[in-house]
Amino acid sequence: AAERHSAALELSVCAESVEVRRGGSCEAAALPAGVSLEPPSCRALRRLPGDGLHLRMRLHRPPPPADPVFTLRESLKPHKKYVFYCQSCGDIVLKGRKFLRVLPLPSENWSDLVEEWCCHPNPFARSTLHPQNDDCFLGDTFFLLNSGNEPHAPGSPKSKENTRVICKRCKTMLGETVSSDTIKYYITEVIIQPSEGCFSPTPRSQFVQSMVAQCLLELSSAKSTFRFTIKGDNGKTYILIWLLNSDTLLVESLGSSSSLSVPTLFGDVFMPSSGSVETWNAVKVLYQPCIKCRNKDLADAWENDMGVHSLKFPSETCLELLLILGLSTASLPPSLQCMKSFQV
């Protein structure tokens, strides 16, 4: 009884921080500027073996100054020159490209839906949406450009391997040829910046998760779609993702979790750690890996579900994303890593 009493915890909650005292030691988790708590809202306080102390409380944060949803359509404007860089190594892919038209593409199954709209044979059956010299067509996870005389375009795409567009420096797959005059570049592989700017590298894992999160946000907002299949350019399904929350705020102080020091295979850390307290906007997702035939029945059911949206990325990027999700799950307390059969 004496040992239990000496190990008793005392919790103090104020608007700026949370303090936990045990005997003579004290650990505090401070909040960044602009973020505050409501101490009276503290509830569901409990201690879980292997997890630590859990509690729920209401958080206050000023609304962001602008809509956080980023779209590729907003980053590309007609009549401006852009430079396209390989995201992995920074090599210039396209230099000084100026577009007269920047247009969104319809959904991939648009031609199938036309038959439901028309009372006569599909007038677009033999039509293809290919960009002209000064066009840029935007898809969910890619953009289409007219190849022109670009050196990255293969001469005669006859096999799947010959259609891959590769970075000349680091040999990363940037996209693929769609036809003899059209190239598809994936948004996770290329950084687009105005010609007058300079290239600013972004750690690979941060860039991939940022672009995928933005894509999920845009599609869920525009189409009320919350379930997604992540497919590779080889046609295989790698991940099933269910978007749970799009307004999650992560606040973390140094030493409060291992996630700040979790290394990845991409040469950076999972999250930035430039200060004692960090704050990130994040999306909370449930996911199921589908590699090595895992969750095949569920993947087949989602494949035939009209409420599920398919997203295509290079196969290597799908594996990177799966590793990023796994590292994120591992950084959570064990009791928060799963929800039913899904990982969080």
Side-chain angles (χ1 to χ4, degrees), residues 161-172:
E161 194 65 28
N162 287 337
T163 66
R164 293 166 66 93
V165 178
I166 307 297
C167 174
K168 294 185 296 184
R169 178 191 290 176
C170 67
K171 309 305 179 185
T172 297

Side-chain angles (χ1 to χ4, degrees), residues 16-271:
E16 292 81 19
S17 65
V18 178
E19 293 184 354
V20 179
R21 295 184 180 89
R22 183 205 301 267
S25 63
C26 176
E27 295 185 7
L31 296 178
V35 179
S36 61
L37 301 173
E38 283 188 13
S41 68
C42 178
R43 59 185 176 86
L45 178 61
R46 57 179 179 165
R47 185 179 183 183
L48 298 179
D51 268 15
L53 199 63
H54 284 234
L55 70 155
R56 294 179 179 272
M57 64 186 68
R58 188 174 294 112
L59 180 145
H60 280 300
R61 185 194 187 202
D67 187 355
V69 177
F70 166 89
T71 64
L72 191 62
R73 297 170 180 81
E74 296 174 354
S75 66
L76 284 174
K77 302 292 185 182
H79 307 289
K80 289 187 177 181
K81 287 188 176 181
Y82 294 93
V83 179
F84 293 61
Y85 300 90
C86 170
Q87 196 281 325
S88 298
C89 70
D91 190 33
I92 294 179
V93 179
L94 301 173
K95 187 174 183 179
R97 286 295 295 265
K98 183 170 68 173
F99 305 107
L100 299 181
R101 299 191 304 173
V102 179
L103 303 173
L105 286 168
S107 301
E108 291 188 7
N109 60 342
W110 70 274
S111 58
D112 296 333
L113 296 176
V114 170
E115 296 182 358
E116 304 294 332
W117 302 336
C118 298
C119 58
H120 52 276
N122 185 354
F124 308 106
R126 297 183 179 180
S127 301
T128 54
L129 299 176
H130 288 174
Q132 302 302 312
N133 286 328
D134 299 318
D135 292 342
C136 179
F137 291 172
L138 304 176
D140 294 335
T141 63
F142 62 88
F143 46 90
L144 297 181
L145 303 179
N146 189 280
S147 59
N149 297 320
E150 298 300 336
H152 290 272
S156 55
K158 296 180 180 180
S159 67
K160 182 64 179 176
E161 194 65 28
N162 287 337
T163 66
R164 293 166 66 93
V165 178
I166 307 297
C167 174
K168 294 185 296 184
R169 178 191 290 176
C170 67
K171 309 305 179 185
T172 297
M173 177 185 175
L174 305 176
E176 55 191 89
T177 57
V178 178
S179 67
S180 59
D181 61 352
T182 302
I183 297 181
K184 173 195 292 185
Y185 289 102
Y186 289 101
I187 61 173
T188 53
E189 314 308 317
V190 177
I191 290 181
I192 307 171
Q193 293 185 345
S195 294
E196 61 272 12
C198 58
F199 177 75
S200 54
T202 303
R204 176 65 181 164
S205 63
Q206 293 180 29
F207 183 80
V208 169
Q209 63 180 321
S210 174
M211 296 306 294
V212 173
Q214 291 163 5
C215 186
L216 297 180
L217 277 178
E218 180 181 353
L219 289 171
S220 64
S221 176
K223 302 181 179 181
S224 297
T225 298
F226 304 98
R227 289 182 295 163
F228 305 88
T229 57
I230 306 298
K231 292 188 175 183
D233 61 288
N234 55 8
K236 295 181 179 180
T237 299
Y238 284 81
I239 317 171
L240 306 179
I241 290 183
W242 197 325
L243 179 61
L244 196 60
N245 296 111
S246 59
D247 57 352
T248 299
L249 175 68
L250 297 180
V251 180
E252 187 167 19
S253 58
L254 284 179
S256 65
S257 172
S258 61
S259 65
L260 289 178
S261 58
V262 173
T264 72
L265 299 181
F266 318 123
D268 58 64
V269 293
F270 178 66
M271 291 179 178

